[in-house]
Amino acid sequence: MILQSKARPVRIRIKSGGEEHSSFESLKRHFCIKDLLPSAKDGRLSRWLRQQGKEMVADSIDAQSR
């Protein structure tokens, strides 16, 4: 029996509006810029957006946080 390990993506916790979000749609429903500023500055938000398949939004966030 051959065992192969499979890497899973790191779970990034994005909180906004008092809730933790696992999808982009959920984040849009409970959007609070004040909650997202720290994660935008340290790069967590853009990495999470890329995991969600939102490359253009992540690029926009990266450009604004520079």
Side-chain angles (χ1 to χ4, degrees), residues 39-58:
S39 58
K41 288 181 181 178
D42 68 13
R44 282 182 293 146
L45 181 59
S46 62
R47 282 185 291 157
W48 183 83
L49 287 166
R50 290 181 203 292
Q51 285 182 352
Q52 301 297 315
K54 303 296 182 185
E55 298 289 328
M56 292 178 66
V57 179

Side-chain angles (χ1 to χ4, degrees), residues 8-37:
R8 293 186 299 187
V10 174
R11 183 173 177 206
I12 301 171
R13 298 177 190 275
I14 296 295
K15 292 184 180 180
S16 178
E19 295 183 22
E20 187 175 307
H21 302 285
S22 60
S23 73
F24 185 69
E25 297 303 318
S26 173
L27 178 62
K28 286 191 332 185
R29 284 191 303 269
H30 303 283
F31 184 81
C32 177
I33 190 70
K34 192 166 101 176
D35 294 342
L36 294 174
L37 282 176

